Amino acid sequence: MIQLKHIVYGLLGVVLASACPRATAADSNPPIRALVVVGGHGFDTNQFYATLRGLPGVSVDIYEHPKAQAQWEAGQAGRYDVMVLYDFYQKIDEAAKANFVKWLKDGRGLVCTHHAMANYQAWPEYENIIGARYYLKKTLVNGVEKPLSTWKHDVMVPVKIADADHPVTRGLKDFEIHDETYGLYDVRPDNHWLLTTTEKTSHEKIGWTRSYEGARVVYLELGHDHLAYANEHYQKLLGQAIRWAAKK
Ligand SMILES: [Zn+2]
């Protein structure tokens, strides 16, 4: 019996020894913690959440408006490396604006996607943060009336990689995606362009990075529905955008 006990303990030691290096490696490479904000616009919920949860090395918490903005508060924000916006929302009070800006000043990243371009139309700083402005209504800008921005579903969009050396686009070549296009929005000239298209119903610039108060910001226009989520290039872009914005 004593001998048997020694054998069992010996085997246990071998099992623990072989398990420990894996545990150590996992601890030294914890997943990127992403806060995902949704709400205010319909989408293929299950497929989108499955796509997010399938991104390698990313752990996601998903919050829907009106509860999402509470996650920007000081006591909550520390749990995250990066925020992913897939919402379509206008309501934001002064405290939430301050928390959003502080999120970025603290160096946390932002990945804004698809219809989140049209968020917070009455808050000019949002345009400074994401580097674009979508017009949901006719708007006077420097005395010039801007036309309504446009959208079109079910377009086969040719996507060109404008900077193949950037970490967000690394490993990607030009591709096509079945998606929705947006047009007639304004973009900031100081954006760093990652993705463009020649599709006529779309703005030419459809993906970029920028810096805001030391934070890394990415905008990706792609991602209308399950057909876009299923596109491997979209998944790679989204995963690499989250990693880069999180400074990981
Ligand atoms: Zn859409």
Side-chain angles (χ1 to χ4, degrees):
M1 286 302 288
I2 290 169
Q3 282 181 333
L4 180 60
K5 196 190 283 181
H6 285 158
I7 292 166
V8 170
Y9 284 160
L11 284 173
L12 192 60
V14 170
V15 169
L16 287 174
S18 64
C20 282
R22 286 201 296 273
T24 305
D27 287 347
S28 66
N29 247 330
I32 295 163
R33 299 161 303 167
L35 166 65
V36 178
V37 178
V38 298
H41 197 296
F43 59 99
D44 293 333
T45 312
N46 292 340
Q47 293 98 325
F48 185 60
Y49 292 171
T51 301
L52 288 171
R53 296 195 167 112
L55 296 174
V58 179
S59 119
V60 295
D61 283 351
I62 301 166
Y63 282 86
E64 187 171 357
H65 289 297
K67 292 183 174 171
Q69 291 173 352
Q71 298 304 307
W72 305 344
E73 291 170 7
Q76 303 298 324
R79 297 154 59 201
Y80 300 107
D81 303 306
V82 60
M83 171 155 50
V84 180
L85 296 179
Y86 191 59
D87 55 342
F88 181 81
Y89 205 63
Q90 303 307 328
K91 202 176 157 193
I92 185 166
D93 64 18
E94 294 306 314
K97 289 175 186 172
N99 287 334
F100 193 115
V101 169
K102 182 159 192 317
W103 174 287
L104 298 162
K105 283 186 172 172
D106 286 349
R108 295 191 175 83
L110 177 67
V111 178
C112 180
T113 69
H114 198 56
H115 42 241
M117 182 195 278
N119 285 349
Y120 308 129
Q121 300 257 303
W123 183 32
E125 196 61 13
Y126 188 69
E127 178 184 348
N128 282 339
I129 293 169
I130 69 162
R133 182 160 181 192
Y134 189 98
Y135 296 98
L136 290 173
K137 59 181 185 184
K138 287 182 181 174
T139 307
L140 277 181
V141 177
N142 299 325
V144 178
E145 187 178 88
K146 294 285 181 175
L148 296 179
S149 300
T150 62
W151 49 269
K152 189 172 193 312
H153 288 163
D154 297 317
V155 181
M156 192 53 81
V157 186
V159 179
K160 288 201 169 306
I161 308 296
D163 178 3
D165 295 327
H166 196 280
V168 174
T169 48
R170 191 165 292 152
L172 283 155
K173 292 191 166 68
D174 297 354
F175 64 94
E176 285 203 330
I177 185 167
H178 183 286
D179 211 333
E180 180 184 20
T181 57
Y182 295 150
L184 298 181
Y185 53 84
D186 283 344
V187 292
R188 288 295 176 95
D190 57 344
N191 294 338
H192 178 79
W193 309 114
L194 294 182
L195 307 176
T196 63
T197 185
T198 53
E199 161 57 37
K200 288 188 180 66
T201 61
S202 176
H203 198 291
E204 182 200 357
K205 315 285 194 190
I206 58 171
W208 55 84
T209 66
R210 61 188 281 109
S211 155
Y212 180 88
E213 299 281 359
R216 291 178 175 180
V217 177
V218 184
Y219 177 77
L220 298 175
E221 189 169 304
L222 308 177
H224 172 68
D225 67 7
H226 69 278
L227 295 169
Y229 313 152
N231 185 301
E232 61 179 319
H233 309 290
Y234 167 79
Q235 293 171 13
K236 194 174 175 82
L237 275 171
L238 185 59
Q240 291 183 164
I242 289 170
R243 182 165 297 277
W244 181 78
K247 301 181 177 172
K248 299 287 184 180

PDB file of all heavy atoms in Angstrom, residues 25-52:
ATOM      1  N   ALA A  25       1.689  30.208 -18.348  1.00  0.00           N
ATOM      2  CA  ALA A  25       1.619  30.890 -19.645  1.00  0.00           C
ATOM      3  C   ALA A  25       0.305  31.652 -19.776  1.00  0.00           C
ATOM      4  O   ALA A  25       0.274  32.793 -20.247  1.00  0.00           O
ATOM      5  CB  ALA A  25       1.765  29.874 -20.771  1.00  0.00           C
ATOM      6  N   ALA A  26      -0.791  31.025 -19.301  1.00  0.00           N
ATOM      7  CA  ALA A  26      -2.089  31.687 -19.401  1.00  0.00           C
ATOM      8  C   ALA A  26      -2.121  32.932 -18.528  1.00  0.00           C
ATOM      9  O   ALA A  26      -2.648  33.973 -18.907  1.00  0.00           O
ATOM     10  CB  ALA A  26      -3.205  30.723 -18.987  1.00  0.00           C
ATOM     11  N   ASP A  27      -1.495  32.844 -17.320  1.00  0.00           N
ATOM     12  CA  ASP A  27      -1.497  33.991 -16.406  1.00  0.00           C
ATOM     13  C   ASP A  27      -0.709  35.157 -16.978  1.00  0.00           C
ATOM     14  O   ASP A  27      -1.065  36.316 -16.777  1.00  0.00           O
ATOM     15  CB  ASP A  27      -0.883  33.586 -15.059  1.00  0.00           C
ATOM     16  CG  ASP A  27      -1.835  32.687 -14.280  1.00  0.00           C
ATOM     17  OD1 ASP A  27      -3.009  32.604 -14.683  1.00  0.00           O
ATOM     18  OD2 ASP A  27      -1.382  32.067 -13.302  1.00  0.00           O
ATOM     19  N   SER A  28       0.392  34.861 -17.685  1.00  0.00           N
ATOM     20  CA  SER A  28       1.223  35.938 -18.208  1.00  0.00           C
ATOM     21  C   SER A  28       0.608  36.551 -19.461  1.00  0.00           C
ATOM     22  O   SER A  28       1.042  37.581 -19.927  1.00  0.00           O
ATOM     23  CB  SER A  28       2.623  35.415 -18.522  1.00  0.00           C
ATOM     24  OG  SER A  28       2.558  34.477 -19.576  1.00  0.00           O
ATOM     25  N   ASN A  29      -0.402  35.939 -20.016  1.00  0.00           N
ATOM     26  CA  ASN A  29      -1.064  36.431 -21.212  1.00  0.00           C
ATOM     27  C   ASN A  29      -2.571  36.482 -20.988  1.00  0.00           C
ATOM     28  O   ASN A  29      -3.322  35.787 -21.655  1.00  0.00           O
ATOM     29  CB  ASN A  29      -0.777  35.493 -22.389  1.00  0.00           C
ATOM     30  CG  ASN A  29       0.067  36.179 -23.422  1.00  0.00           C
ATOM     31  OD1 ASN A  29      -0.011  37.393 -23.578  1.00  0.00           O
ATOM     32  ND2 ASN A  29       0.857  35.392 -24.119  1.00  0.00           N
ATOM     33  N   PRO A  30      -3.023  37.304 -20.059  1.00  0.00           N
ATOM     34  CA  PRO A  30      -4.460  37.332 -19.802  1.00  0.00           C
ATOM     35  C   PRO A  30      -5.197  37.901 -21.003  1.00  0.00           C
ATOM     36  O   PRO A  30      -4.630  38.677 -21.774  1.00  0.00           O
ATOM     37  CB  PRO A  30      -4.582  38.258 -18.587  1.00  0.00           C
ATOM     38  CG  PRO A  30      -3.376  39.112 -18.635  1.00  0.00           C
ATOM     39  CD  PRO A  30      -2.283  38.282 -19.255  1.00  0.00           C
ATOM     40  N   PRO A  31      -6.456  37.526 -21.176  1.00  0.00           N
ATOM     41  CA  PRO A  31      -7.185  38.055 -22.330  1.00  0.00           C
ATOM     42  C   PRO A  31      -7.375  39.564 -22.231  1.00  0.00           C
ATOM     43  O   PRO A  31      -7.383  40.136 -21.143  1.00  0.00           O
ATOM     44  CB  PRO A  31      -8.542  37.339 -22.251  1.00  0.00           C
ATOM     45  CG  PRO A  31      -8.654  36.845 -20.864  1.00  0.00           C
ATOM     46  CD  PRO A  31      -7.266  36.632 -20.351  1.00  0.00           C
ATOM     47  N   ILE A  32      -7.509  40.206 -23.374  1.00  0.00           N
ATOM     48  CA  ILE A  32      -7.861  41.625 -23.434  1.00  0.00           C
ATOM     49  C   ILE A  32      -9.297  41.748 -22.944  1.00  0.00           C
ATOM     50  O   ILE A  32     -10.166  40.982 -23.356  1.00  0.00           O
ATOM     51  CB  ILE A  32      -7.745  42.131 -24.887  1.00  0.00           C
ATOM     52  CG1 ILE A  32      -6.287  42.054 -25.337  1.00  0.00           C
ATOM     53  CG2 ILE A  32      -8.308  43.529 -25.030  1.00  0.00           C
ATOM     54  CD1 ILE A  32      -6.111  42.135 -26.828  1.00  0.00           C
ATOM     55  N   ARG A  33      -9.527  42.709 -22.072  1.00  0.00           N
ATOM     56  CA  ARG A  33     -10.870  42.865 -21.493  1.00  0.00           C
ATOM     57  C   ARG A  33     -11.610  43.972 -22.239  1.00  0.00           C
ATOM     58  O   ARG A  33     -11.241  45.148 -22.150  1.00  0.00           O
ATOM     59  CB  ARG A  33     -10.751  43.186 -20.007  1.00  0.00           C
ATOM     60  CG  ARG A  33     -10.042  42.086 -19.216  1.00  0.00           C
ATOM     61  CD  ARG A  33      -9.524  42.607 -17.898  1.00  0.00           C
ATOM     62  NE  ARG A  33      -8.626  43.740 -18.112  1.00  0.00           N
ATOM     63  CZ  ARG A  33      -8.216  44.550 -17.146  1.00  0.00           C
ATOM     64  NH1 ARG A  33      -8.608  44.375 -15.918  1.00  0.00           N
ATOM     65  NH2 ARG A  33      -7.400  45.561 -17.421  1.00  0.00           N
ATOM     66  N   ALA A  34     -12.633  43.577 -22.970  1.00  0.00           N
ATOM     67  CA  ALA A  34     -13.353  44.534 -23.823  1.00  0.00           C
ATOM     68  C   ALA A  34     -14.773  44.759 -23.309  1.00  0.00           C
ATOM     69  O   ALA A  34     -15.502  43.805 -23.041  1.00  0.00           O
ATOM     70  CB  ALA A  34     -13.397  44.022 -25.259  1.00  0.00           C
ATOM     71  N   LEU A  35     -15.130  46.032 -23.189  1.00  0.00           N
ATOM     72  CA  LEU A  35     -16.511  46.414 -22.907  1.00  0.00           C
ATOM     73  C   LEU A  35     -17.190  46.664 -24.250  1.00  0.00           C
ATOM     74  O   LEU A  35     -16.734  47.507 -25.025  1.00  0.00           O
ATOM     75  CB  LEU A  35     -16.542  47.699 -22.065  1.00  0.00           C
ATOM     76  CG  LEU A  35     -17.894  48.403 -21.956  1.00  0.00           C
ATOM     77  CD1 LEU A  35     -18.902  47.540 -21.207  1.00  0.00           C
ATOM     78  CD2 LEU A  35     -17.731  49.759 -21.262  1.00  0.00           C
ATOM     79  N   VAL A  36     -18.236  45.922 -24.532  1.00  0.00           N
ATOM     80  CA  VAL A  36     -18.961  46.084 -25.797  1.00  0.00           C
ATOM     81  C   VAL A  36     -20.290  46.779 -25.505  1.00  0.00           C
ATOM     82  O   VAL A  36     -21.042  46.340 -24.632  1.00  0.00           O
ATOM     83  CB  VAL A  36     -19.212  44.724 -26.476  1.00  0.00           C
ATOM     84  CG1 VAL A  36     -20.002  44.907 -27.763  1.00  0.00           C
ATOM     85  CG2 VAL A  36     -17.884  44.020 -26.744  1.00  0.00           C
ATOM     86  N   VAL A  37     -20.550  47.864 -26.214  1.00  0.00           N
ATOM     87  CA  VAL A  37     -21.751  48.662 -25.993  1.00  0.00           C
ATOM     88  C   VAL A  37     -22.694  48.502 -27.186  1.00  0.00           C
ATOM     89  O   VAL A  37     -22.291  48.741 -28.335  1.00  0.00           O
ATOM     90  CB  VAL A  37     -21.390  50.150 -25.789  1.00  0.00           C
ATOM     91  CG1 VAL A  37     -22.654  50.986 -25.614  1.00  0.00           C
ATOM     92  CG2 VAL A  37     -20.463  50.313 -24.586  1.00  0.00           C
ATOM     93  N   VAL A  38     -23.920  48.090 -26.895  1.00  0.00           N
ATOM     94  CA  VAL A  38     -24.935  47.918 -27.941  1.00  0.00           C
ATOM     95  C   VAL A  38     -26.212  48.644 -27.502  1.00  0.00           C
ATOM     96  O   VAL A  38     -26.320  49.089 -26.363  1.00  0.00           O
ATOM     97  CB  VAL A  38     -25.237  46.422 -28.203  1.00  0.00           C
ATOM     98  CG1 VAL A  38     -24.003  45.691 -28.708  1.00  0.00           C
ATOM     99  CG2 VAL A  38     -25.794  45.748 -26.951  1.00  0.00           C
ATOM    100  N   GLY A  39     -27.182  48.695 -28.413  1.00  0.00           N
ATOM    101  CA  GLY A  39     -28.475  49.276 -28.073  1.00  0.00           C
ATOM    102  C   GLY A  39     -28.837  50.435 -28.973  1.00  0.00           C
ATOM    103  O   GLY A  39     -27.966  51.146 -29.475  1.00  0.00           O
ATOM    104  N   GLY A  40     -30.149  50.590 -29.199  1.00  0.00           N
ATOM    105  CA  GLY A  40     -30.642  51.701 -30.008  1.00  0.00           C
ATOM    106  C   GLY A  40     -30.794  51.363 -31.481  1.00  0.00           C
ATOM    107  O   GLY A  40     -31.267  52.181 -32.262  1.00  0.00           O
ATOM    108  N   HIS A  41     -30.371  50.167 -31.885  1.00  0.00           N
ATOM    109  CA  HIS A  41     -30.436  49.752 -33.289  1.00  0.00           C
ATOM    110  C   HIS A  41     -30.487  48.231 -33.318  1.00  0.00           C
ATOM    111  O   HIS A  41     -29.743  47.589 -32.586  1.00  0.00           O
ATOM    112  CB  HIS A  41     -29.191  50.262 -34.024  1.00  0.00           C
ATOM    113  CG  HIS A  41     -29.320  50.270 -35.516  1.00  0.00           C
ATOM    114  ND1 HIS A  41     -29.486  49.121 -36.257  1.00  0.00           N
ATOM    115  CD2 HIS A  41     -29.292  51.298 -36.400  1.00  0.00           C
ATOM    116  CE1 HIS A  41     -29.555  49.458 -37.540  1.00  0.00           C
ATOM    117  NE2 HIS A  41     -29.450  50.765 -37.660  1.00  0.00           N
ATOM    118  N   GLY A  42     -31.338  47.678 -34.160  1.00  0.00           N
ATOM    119  CA  GLY A  42     -31.420  46.220 -34.257  1.00  0.00           C
ATOM    120  C   GLY A  42     -30.199  45.628 -34.950  1.00  0.00           C
ATOM    121  O   GLY A  42     -29.531  46.307 -35.730  1.00  0.00           O
ATOM    122  N   PHE A  43     -29.903  44.368 -34.643  1.00  0.00           N
ATOM    123  CA  PHE A  43     -28.828  43.647 -35.330  1.00  0.00           C
ATOM    124  C   PHE A  43     -29.025  42.160 -35.081  1.00  0.00           C
ATOM    125  O   PHE A  43     -29.867  41.763 -34.278  1.00  0.00           O
ATOM    126  CB  PHE A  43     -27.441  44.118 -34.871  1.00  0.00           C
ATOM    127  CG  PHE A  43     -27.167  43.966 -33.396  1.00  0.00           C
ATOM    128  CD1 PHE A  43     -26.435  42.882 -32.927  1.00  0.00           C
ATOM    129  CD2 PHE A  43     -27.644  44.892 -32.479  1.00  0.00           C
ATOM    130  CE1 PHE A  43     -26.175  42.737 -31.567  1.00  0.00           C
ATOM    131  CE2 PHE A  43     -27.389  44.749 -31.112  1.00  0.00           C
ATOM    132  CZ  PHE A  43     -26.653  43.667 -30.663  1.00  0.00           C
ATOM    133  N   ASP A  44     -28.245  41.359 -35.792  1.00  0.00           N
ATOM    134  CA  ASP A  44     -28.337  39.906 -35.623  1.00  0.00           C
ATOM    135  C   ASP A  44     -27.606  39.524 -34.332  1.00  0.00           C
ATOM    136  O   ASP A  44     -26.431  39.152 -34.332  1.00  0.00           O
ATOM    137  CB  ASP A  44     -27.719  39.186 -36.828  1.00  0.00           C
ATOM    138  CG  ASP A  44     -28.525  39.401 -38.092  1.00  0.00           C
ATOM    139  OD1 ASP A  44     -29.756  39.625 -37.986  1.00  0.00           O
ATOM    140  OD2 ASP A  44     -27.934  39.345 -39.193  1.00  0.00           O
ATOM    141  N   THR A  45     -28.347  39.615 -33.245  1.00  0.00           N
ATOM    142  CA  THR A  45     -27.750  39.581 -31.905  1.00  0.00           C
ATOM    143  C   THR A  45     -26.914  38.326 -31.654  1.00  0.00           C
ATOM    144  O   THR A  45     -25.734  38.415 -31.291  1.00  0.00           O
ATOM    145  CB  THR A  45     -28.870  39.661 -30.849  1.00  0.00           C
ATOM    146  OG1 THR A  45     -29.745  40.715 -31.207  1.00  0.00           O
ATOM    147  CG2 THR A  45     -28.299  39.929 -29.472  1.00  0.00           C
ATOM    148  N   ASN A  46     -27.521  37.163 -31.835  1.00  0.00           N
ATOM    149  CA  ASN A  46     -26.807  35.924 -31.491  1.00  0.00           C
ATOM    150  C   ASN A  46     -25.543  35.753 -32.316  1.00  0.00           C
ATOM    151  O   ASN A  46     -24.489  35.379 -31.791  1.00  0.00           O
ATOM    152  CB  ASN A  46     -27.718  34.709 -31.690  1.00  0.00           C
ATOM    153  CG  ASN A  46     -28.849  34.696 -30.680  1.00  0.00           C
ATOM    154  OD1 ASN A  46     -28.760  35.351 -29.638  1.00  0.00           O
ATOM    155  ND2 ASN A  46     -29.912  33.978 -30.979  1.00  0.00           N
ATOM    156  N   GLN A  47     -25.650  36.049 -33.600  1.00  0.00           N
ATOM    157  CA  GLN A  47     -24.476  35.877 -34.472  1.00  0.00           C
ATOM    158  C   GLN A  47     -23.380  36.882 -34.119  1.00  0.00           C
ATOM    159  O   GLN A  47     -22.198  36.558 -34.164  1.00  0.00           O
ATOM    160  CB  GLN A  47     -24.867  36.029 -35.948  1.00  0.00           C
ATOM    161  CG  GLN A  47     -25.770  34.919 -36.466  1.00  0.00           C
ATOM    162  CD  GLN A  47     -27.232  35.329 -36.460  1.00  0.00           C
ATOM    163  OE1 GLN A  47     -27.693  36.058 -35.572  1.00  0.00           O
ATOM    164  NE2 GLN A  47     -27.971  34.852 -37.447  1.00  0.00           N
ATOM    165  N   PHE A  48     -23.785  38.109 -33.757  1.00  0.00           N
ATOM    166  CA  PHE A  48     -22.766  39.113 -33.408  1.00  0.00           C
ATOM    167  C   PHE A  48     -22.059  38.722 -32.113  1.00  0.00           C
ATOM    168  O   PHE A  48     -20.830  38.782 -32.018  1.00  0.00           O
ATOM    169  CB  PHE A  48     -23.399  40.500 -33.266  1.00  0.00           C
ATOM    170  CG  PHE A  48     -22.387  41.598 -33.039  1.00  0.00           C
ATOM    171  CD1 PHE A  48     -21.400  41.858 -33.980  1.00  0.00           C
ATOM    172  CD2 PHE A  48     -22.418  42.370 -31.879  1.00  0.00           C
ATOM    173  CE1 PHE A  48     -20.456  42.872 -33.766  1.00  0.00           C
ATOM    174  CE2 PHE A  48     -21.478  43.373 -31.666  1.00  0.00           C
ATOM    175  CZ  PHE A  48     -20.494  43.623 -32.610  1.00  0.00           C
ATOM    176  N   TYR A  49     -22.836  38.285 -31.130  1.00  0.00           N
ATOM    177  CA  TYR A  49     -22.228  37.908 -29.849  1.00  0.00           C
ATOM    178  C   TYR A  49     -21.321  36.683 -30.031  1.00  0.00           C
ATOM    179  O   TYR A  49     -20.251  36.602 -29.415  1.00  0.00           O
ATOM    180  CB  TYR A  49     -23.299  37.637 -28.798  1.00  0.00           C
ATOM    181  CG  TYR A  49     -24.075  38.871 -28.373  1.00  0.00           C
ATOM    182  CD1 TYR A  49     -25.202  38.778 -27.555  1.00  0.00           C
ATOM    183  CD2 TYR A  49     -23.683  40.138 -28.799  1.00  0.00           C
ATOM    184  CE1 TYR A  49     -25.899  39.906 -27.171  1.00  0.00           C
ATOM    185  CE2 TYR A  49     -24.387  41.274 -28.430  1.00  0.00           C
ATOM    186  CZ  TYR A  49     -25.500  41.157 -27.617  1.00  0.00           C
ATOM    187  OH  TYR A  49     -26.196  42.278 -27.249  1.00  0.00           O
ATOM    188  N   ALA A  50     -21.746  35.744 -30.870  1.00  0.00           N
ATOM    189  CA  ALA A  50     -20.910  34.560 -31.124  1.00  0.00           C
ATOM    190  C   ALA A  50     -19.602  34.978 -31.802  1.00  0.00           C
ATOM    191  O   ALA A  50     -18.526  34.444 -31.492  1.00  0.00           O
ATOM    192  CB  ALA A  50     -21.669  33.563 -31.995  1.00  0.00           C
ATOM    193  N   THR A  51     -19.682  35.948 -32.703  1.00  0.00           N
ATOM    194  CA  THR A  51     -18.468  36.431 -33.377  1.00  0.00           C
ATOM    195  C   THR A  51     -17.523  37.081 -32.371  1.00  0.00           C
ATOM    196  O   THR A  51     -16.319  36.816 -32.359  1.00  0.00           O
ATOM    197  CB  THR A  51     -18.843  37.449 -34.477  1.00  0.00           C
ATOM    198  OG1 THR A  51     -19.708  36.791 -35.407  1.00  0.00           O
ATOM    199  CG2 THR A  51     -17.619  37.979 -35.200  1.00  0.00           C
ATOM    200  N   LEU A  52     -18.075  37.920 -31.500  1.00  0.00           N
ATOM    201  CA  LEU A  52     -17.238  38.579 -30.478  1.00  0.00           C
ATOM    202  C   LEU A  52     -16.572  37.547 -29.580  1.00  0.00           C
ATOM    203  O   LEU A  52     -15.388  37.646 -29.263  1.00  0.00           O
ATOM    204  CB  LEU A  52     -18.100  39.500 -29.613  1.00  0.00           C
ATOM    205  CG  LEU A  52     -18.600  40.785 -30.257  1.00  0.00           C
ATOM    206  CD1 LEU A  52     -19.619  41.455 -29.332  1.00  0.00           C
ATOM    207  CD2 LEU A  52     -17.449  41.743 -30.532  1.00  0.00           C
TER     208      LEU A  52
END
